[in-house]
Amino acid sequence: MTTSPSPGALATRGPHAFGRALRALFARPGSAIGTSLVAGFLLLAAVGPLIAPYGANEQVFAEARQPPSLARPFGTDHLGRDVFSRVLLGARDIVSVAGLGSLVAVVLGAAAGLLTSYLGGLVEELTFRFFDALLAMPALLLALLLLGMLGPSRANVLIVLTLAYVPIVARVVRSVVLDVKSKDYVAAARMQGEPLPAVLLRDVLPAVLPALAVEAALRFSYAIFLVASLGFLGAGVQPPSPDWGLMIREARTFASLTPWALAAPAVAISVLVVAVNLMAEGLARALQVTRGVR
Amino acid sequence: MAYGPGAGVLALRDVDLDVAPGTAVGLVGESGSGKSTLALAALRFLPGDGRVVRGRVELGGVALDGLSSAALRDLWRRRVRLVPQDPLASLNPSLTVGRQVAEGLAGDPAGRDGEGTAGASPRGDRARDAVRALLASVGLADAARVAASYPHQLSGGMQQRVAIAMALGGAPELLVMDEPTTNLDVTTEATVLDLVRDLRERHGTAVLYVSHSLAVVARTCDRVAVLYAGELVEDAPVAELYRRPLHPYTRGLLDSLPRVGQDRRAEPLRPIEGRIPEAHARPPGCVFADRCPVAIERCHAERPALDDAAPGRRVRCHRWPEIAAGTLDPRRPAEPPARAHDALAPDGDAPALSVRSLSKRYPLARGAWAALRRRPARAVRALEDASLEVWRGRTLGLVGESGSGKSTLARCVVGLTVPTAGEVALAGARLAPRLEHRYRARLGELQMVFQNSGEALNPYLTVGESLARPLRRLAGARSGGEIEARVRSLLEAVHLPAAFAARVPGELSGGEQQRVAIARALATEPCVLVFDESVSGLDVSVQAGILDLLTRLQDERHGAYAFISHDLAVVAYLADDIAVMHLGRVVESGPASAVLRPPYHPYTEALLSAVPTLDPDGQAERVRLTGDAPSPVDLPPGCPFHTRCPRSLGELCEREAPPWRRDASGKTVACHIPLEELVTAQVPLFADAGDAGAGPAAEGAAP
């Protein structure tokens, strides 16, 4: 009985794999829009400081509480700061903190999931029971608790993101590893004397990558959300940083006077999160990964 | 009835087929030939994206095309039924078998009203009796218990009987069976096939029997229709088709099937070269022309018509008159017979592989209470005290039903599973039980080829990379040029073009993947190769090619092969020695020629008589096993086979483990019955089996 070529296997293999994945991402309108928006935000984060008309904390008291205009596209806040510039500059903050945090979580989670679930036994049992304990707490609650102990700072937000997301990533990886490690080609590699790292990296990891890529995108979107929430609750990045969550927190008091100062960062967060989710969805379809619930 | 469908990317093209009441027509062909599509089309039950482009289906003279969905439902309920390949997948796991069978009682108001309330109302009582009668009629002895069971509580053979009972509940005029025994053990298969034969005669039902196996069809059907690439290429009564096939494809299929007693060196199988064309890329002429050994120019240019070759015989071939007249031999010229198999002097008198008293038990989880009270954990005995030897240049065939411990044995030998007791030695030197503890330098001497060709190769590596890994790791190849050259010679050894090195497994067919897997196992030039059901998933024509390849490789390289298969015909063809396993134990072993001849262990006798053979009349007195194998957790005391043994002596067998008996031919049998008595009680099951594998080496190197 002939096995038909599996498109999932093909898409992640060969010299044109990247181009093929990209084309698949742009094949559907949802993921095309999402991916373009994410690319746009990343670009803004990179060049924001170059194009922002004002500094993040540059105050012009005479122009405080200005509604949006051509000169001030998003208006000014109660302290006379340019909201457009702050949103632009805040993009780098949130993208870098959320991005770095989810990247570290994905790398560590993948390593932990790969190694412990491949080895199995007591190591796996202990690791995942510990992860279960971490998962029992909602991410935001865990973050608030830890930041309360460690004190609010950018570095601590990174630590919190990592702690909150490593267990989730490890679980996703584990589900794939448990399936792959019983495959005959893994047994064949072992019988050919391939050492553990070679088996893990060449035989097991490639099968994990599609699911991992989708999970990384999802983690990124949740991390943006979490960083913004922490900023809003005052437990994350501290004033006067142009953090979007923090901006919402500050503008909230003046919601009736300067609604634009509240709306701009809120819309920015929503658009970015939705865009990343759309991209993750497209990625999952392109790589044929079934998306989990979380 | 007549159909002539053709669908979507034209899965089928101009197929006409009649099934008369009370007869069975077998539909055979390789995977991709369109046989399942035809079966579903006959039921008007095509999947959502399938469509009949042209043609019609008639049942009892009435066309089924254009029926409303309500009329179709009624048709499915009352007149036609399907028995699917995988009964567990088609039975509802959350309803008892009885309720599901009751739902199938068509035209019986008691049955329909009994739905949901079966057993409660008087009508329900009637339904229940009907269900029990139905279950009893398919040979389920304890019908009341079966009716109260959920599908997963039944064995595969019982599930298939339930599925057949459900289908029969509607007293259908037409029964379509789609590979109903493919997933069953050969012993179970035999009883199901007997049942099909019997039902057809008793109920007068017309049966359309889809199978990839010519031998299975030979046992159940009156007529055979051979399908190739969506076309009907030959249609004839069973006996005539097998004795005198007219189409070169049919001839090729028959020549691909190993017969018990066939000498693999003197009379190798003749596989059909090439691949079945894809539905969207059919050649303009005869669909088989590209693979046909006797194709002429006309075959490539012009599509042959389905000619009436004789009353009741149709064939679609330009050259059938020559074949029928005997002036043209439609066979591929046989490869020159492999050179005489010279008996190898055993290396230092030690077998290449020896397995001593190997056991594997999987402890069952026990409750906390039992653990506290230090009750001994119960265990699944996957392997009990199995001992074997494999010698250089010889093949040991390992047969048994599923659950007999064949695969566990293989995995213990190569170190993927750690045995509970016993040891494995390679050329006399003991091996560590765990793969990771074995000396890397010696890993290359023992390799394995797995069952599932699709899983055996890393899908993310090219064929070249997969083959280069063992070369680099174990065979000491260093430079890129050397590796490339050796990869090329490995591919050549398994008859694949060198260009395949750049492909990924997803681009290969199942047979090609299995060849690459064999090449990979050969990379380290192992002295022992273990094959775990390595050809079971392949089409017969592909399987024949691999079996020939293995024979040739063994003659060239003198490897010792341990070949595991549930297919006795394949094992009998390939093996020099045979070991029969039952419930984790070896019950009989010895040279193939001796094992295939009486005296048999009663279990071997049952296995051998269950093997479907091509000759429809040649099925001598058959032994059938009733009941299921006992659970490997609660093995009965005494001989583990006594619960099913047709020759059980009674108390002795129930009480004491059987002794090993040995006869002059060098085979050993674990049975209480003395061999002299067995030999007089049993008839030889294969007339020509005496010479199987009895080359010059067979007696010489016998352990």
Side-chain angles (χ1 to χ4, degrees):
Chain A
M1 276 136 238
T2 40
T3 19
S4 58
S6 142
L10 286 180
T12 49
R13 158 93 233 165
H16 308 298
F18 183 73
R20 234 188 336 246
L22 213 58
R23 230 172 302 136
L25 266 184
F26 279 91
R28 291 156 25 85
S31 64
I33 293 171
T35 311
S36 320
L37 280 175
V38 171
F41 271 100
L42 291 179
L43 188 70
L44 284 186
V47 304
L50 299 177
I51 60 168
Y54 297 86
N57 296 311
E58 202 178 326
Q59 299 178 342
V60 186
F61 284 109
E63 294 180 28
R65 296 192 289 276
Q66 293 274 318
S69 64
L70 269 182
R72 303 275 198 177
F74 294 170
T76 58
D77 67 2
H78 62 288
L79 294 175
R81 293 177 295 191
D82 183 49
V83 177
F84 179 64
S85 301
R86 282 178 70 78
V87 169
L88 266 186
L89 296 169
R92 170 175 285 190
D93 244 35
I94 200 154
V95 165
S96 61
V97 173
L100 197 61
S102 39
L103 185 70
V104 173
V106 163
V107 170
L108 291 183
L114 205 59
L115 191 65
T116 60
S117 4
Y118 180 78
L119 292 178
L122 195 63
V123 188
E124 183 195 20
E125 194 70 17
L126 288 177
T127 312
F128 278 90
R129 288 301 88 80
F130 172 64
F131 285 167
D132 285 347
L134 281 180
L135 283 176
M137 241 183 296
L140 189 60
L141 192 64
L142 182 73
L144 285 174
L145 273 175
L146 284 169
L147 288 174
M149 292 191 320
L150 300 171
S153 79
R154 190 169 302 195
N156 288 345
V157 170
L158 275 180
I159 294 176
V160 163
L161 279 180
T162 310
L163 265 178
Y165 291 156
V166 159
I168 300 178
V169 174
R171 283 213 156 266
V172 170
V173 170
R174 177 167 180 257
S175 67
V176 183
V177 172
L178 290 188
D179 176 43
V180 174
K181 82 172 184 183
S182 62
K183 292 250 159 92
D184 290 340
Y185 64 82
V186 174
R190 288 172 59 201
M191 286 172 51
Q192 288 157 6
E194 296 287 328
L196 180 64
V199 173
L200 282 182
L201 295 180
R202 296 197 74 185
D203 295 296
V204 183
L205 185 62
V208 175
L209 280 181
L212 199 59
V214 174
E215 191 55 30
L218 275 178
R219 281 309 115 210
F220 182 47
S221 89
Y222 281 101
I224 293 164
F225 218 70
L226 190 60
V227 169
S229 308
L230 288 173
F232 177 75
L233 293 171
V237 187
Q238 292 300 299
S241 302
D243 177 80
W244 292 349
L246 205 53
M247 286 168 72
I248 298 177
R249 175 192 176 87
E250 289 174 19
R252 194 178 45 138
T253 341
F254 306 96
S256 55
L257 287 174
T258 56
W260 47 85
L262 184 67
V267 169
I269 291 172
S270 321
V271 171
L272 181 53
V273 169
V274 169
V276 174
N277 263 304
L278 282 175
M279 186 180 76
E281 174 82 39
L283 213 53
R285 276 174 190 267
L287 301 174
Q288 301 196 327
V289 177
T290 4
R291 250 177 83 174
V293 196
R294 282 189 79 102
Chain B
M1 292 193 346
Y3 354 79
V9 274
L10 277 185
L12 298 170
R13 200 155 65 151
D14 305 333
V15 179
D16 293 289
L17 197 60
D18 300 332
V19 186
T23 66
V25 172
L27 208 52
V28 294
E30 293 173 277
S31 47
S33 60
K35 43 188 198 306
S36 288
T37 311
L38 178 55
L40 294 179
L43 290 174
R44 310 297 287 149
F45 200 72
L46 286 171
D49 51 351
R51 193 164 60 85
V52 175
V53 178
R54 194 158 38 80
R56 62 181 197 286
V57 183
E58 285 175 10
L59 183 65
V62 182
L64 303 188
D65 312 84
L67 284 184
S68 67
S69 53
L72 273 180
R73 268 202 305 279
D74 193 58
L75 173 84
W76 294 329
R77 175 176 272 284
R78 291 159 185 275
R79 302 177 63 192
V80 297
R81 286 289 170 94
L82 173 74
V83 177
Q85 177 171 359
D86 183 357
L88 187 57
S90 62
L91 293 172
N92 185 336
S94 57
L95 293 181
T96 60
V97 162
R99 279 186 60 174
Q100 295 184 59
V101 176
E103 283 176 21
L105 292 172
D108 176 2
R112 223 173 292 176
D113 292 352
E115 258 177 56
T117 54
S121 66
R123 288 182 143 181
D125 279 345
R126 213 171 347 135
R128 196 175 57 197
D129 292 342
V131 165
R132 289 192 184 163
L134 207 50
L135 289 174
S137 78
V138 293
L140 288 165
D142 193 357
R145 190 185 64 81
V146 171
S149 311
Y150 288 92
H152 70 271
Q153 295 169 321
L154 305 175
S155 67
M158 289 166 88
Q159 287 166 4
Q160 196 56 278
R161 280 161 192 273
V162 168
I164 293 173
M166 277 176 78
L168 287 174
E173 292 158 52
L174 172 67
L175 196 58
V176 176
M177 311 187 95
D178 189 5
E179 305 254 10
T181 62
T182 305
N183 295 333
L184 302 179
D185 273 320
V186 60
T187 47
T188 322
E189 175 182 78
T191 55
V192 171
L193 295 184
D194 289 348
L195 172 69
V196 173
R197 233 194 142 82
D198 173 52
L199 291 175
R200 188 159 60 80
E201 282 156 13
R202 243 174 333 125
H203 295 270
T205 311
V207 177
L208 184 61
Y209 192 101
V210 179
S211 176
H212 67 281
S213 162
L214 282 163
V216 164
V217 165
R219 184 173 273 191
T220 40
C221 298
D222 312 294
R223 251 174 57 220
V224 186
V226 182
L227 220 54
Y228 181 80
E231 293 194 358
L232 190 65
V233 294
E234 186 162 6
D235 170 23
V238 166
E240 283 184 47
L241 186 89
Y242 291 149
R243 265 181 224 123
R244 212 164 46 90
L246 290 183
H247 198 282
Y249 177 61
T250 317
R251 179 82 253 174
L253 280 182
L254 290 171
D255 285 345
S256 300
L257 273 182
R259 290 190 324 276
V260 173
Q262 188 174 355
D263 183 336
R264 68 186 193 274
R265 294 193 172 85
E267 205 187 340
L269 297 174
R270 305 183 200 199
I272 307 171
E273 305 280 318
R275 267 206 229 188
I276 201 163
E278 306 263 347
H280 53 78
R282 282 199 198 115
C286 169
V287 278
F288 187 59
D290 291 339
R291 298 172 78 185
C292 183
V294 293
I296 47 178
E297 228 165 86
R298 185 172 164 221
C299 299
H300 291 282
E302 187 189 329
R303 193 165 157 240
L306 192 60
D307 293 333
D308 287 310
R313 284 203 77 162
R314 292 180 302 164
V315 58
R316 191 188 286 281
C317 178
H318 286 308
R319 305 192 73 183
W320 74 262
E322 298 166 67
I323 296 170
T327 53
L328 177 69
D329 181 10
R331 294 167 169 230
R332 180 172 303 284
E335 304 222 345
R339 59 185 183 73
H341 187 54
D342 44 345
L344 273 177
D347 305 349
D349 290 331
L353 172 74
S354 82
V355 171
R356 262 168 256 142
S357 303
L358 211 57
S359 296
K360 175 68 187 174
R361 295 181 181 189
Y362 292 96
L364 292 176
R366 40 179 182 168
W369 183 238
L372 274 179
R373 294 182 55 193
R374 294 178 180 276
R375 278 203 193 133
R378 300 201 306 165
V380 175
R381 298 164 182 216
L383 200 58
E384 280 281 297
D385 199 21
S387 300
L388 297 169
E389 285 175 351
V390 193
W391 297 77
R392 288 214 75 170
R394 291 175 72 83
T395 301
L396 171 76
L398 211 52
V399 291
E401 293 168 288
S402 58
S404 62
K406 312 183 294 282
S407 287
T408 308
L409 179 68
R411 294 182 73 87
C412 285
V413 164
V414 297
L416 291 171
T417 298
V418 180
T420 316
E423 64 177 51
V424 177
L426 209 54
R430 208 179 139 262
L431 288 176
R434 195 181 294 274
L435 183 62
E436 274 72 18
H437 296 171
R438 293 183 177 177
Y439 294 111
R440 177 170 295 174
R442 303 207 61 195
L443 283 181
E445 295 171 22
L446 173 61
Q447 286 290 316
M448 175 153 153
V449 180
F450 296 89
Q451 169 172 18
N452 189 337
S453 57
E455 272 189 14
L457 300 173
N458 184 335
Y460 302 96
L461 297 181
T462 62
V463 166
E465 286 164 342
S466 279
L467 294 178
R469 284 176 93 184
L471 290 173
R472 204 174 284 132
R473 193 70 70 183
L474 296 176
R478 287 280 166 263
S479 73
E482 186 193 351
I483 289 176
E484 204 179 307
R486 288 175 72 169
V487 165
R488 201 172 308 130
S489 77
L490 280 174
L491 285 173
E492 203 176 301
V494 294
H495 286 196
L496 287 178
F500 270 44
R503 301 213 190 163
V504 288
E507 297 168 323
L508 309 182
S509 72
E512 288 163 354
Q513 286 172 346
Q514 204 58 293
R515 281 169 192 265
V516 174
I518 292 171
R520 181 181 60 187
L522 290 173
T524 55
E525 284 165 21
C527 46
V528 177
L529 258 176
V530 179
F531 296 88
D532 186 5
E533 300 274 8
S534 303
V535 298
S536 308
L538 305 173
D539 273 319
V540 281
S541 63
V542 179
Q543 170 184 302
I546 303 258
L547 293 180
D548 280 355
L549 174 70
L550 293 183
T551 306
R552 197 172 48 74
L553 287 172
Q554 188 171 43
D555 288 346
E556 285 167 12
R557 301 178 185 221
H558 302 295
Y561 291 174
F563 189 90
I564 295 171
S565 179
H566 68 279
D567 188 340
L568 255 160
V570 169
V571 166
Y573 173 73
L574 203 63
D576 304 295
D577 304 294
I578 294 181
V580 182
M581 290 188 72
H582 175 254
L583 279 176
R585 293 158 210 259
V586 177
V587 296
E588 174 167 359
S589 70
S593 54
V595 172
L596 296 172
R597 228 179 356 213
Y600 307 109
H601 185 284
Y603 177 66
T604 313
E605 186 185 13
L607 268 187
L608 289 177
S609 47
V611 176
T613 55
L614 276 185
D615 186 357
D617 319 314
Q619 313 270 352
E621 184 188 331
R622 292 183 202 147
V623 183
R624 290 285 180 266
L625 293 184
T626 49
D628 292 323
S631 146
V633 181
D634 302 305
L635 276 185
C639 173
F641 187 55
H642 83 248
T643 53
R644 291 199 291 168
C645 183
R647 298 189 185 277
S648 170
L649 296 178
E651 209 200 332
L652 178 63
C653 296
E654 288 162 29
R655 211 180 50 235
E656 272 175 51
W660 279 103
R661 301 184 185 275
R662 178 180 267 279
D663 77 354
S665 66
K667 83 164 162 185
T668 48
V669 175
C671 187
H672 283 296
I673 308 173
L675 296 181
E676 305 77 59
E677 275 179 42
L678 279 175
V679 83
T680 48
Q682 292 167 332
V683 287
L685 288 159
F686 303 102
D688 48 356
D691 309 320
E699 315 302 338

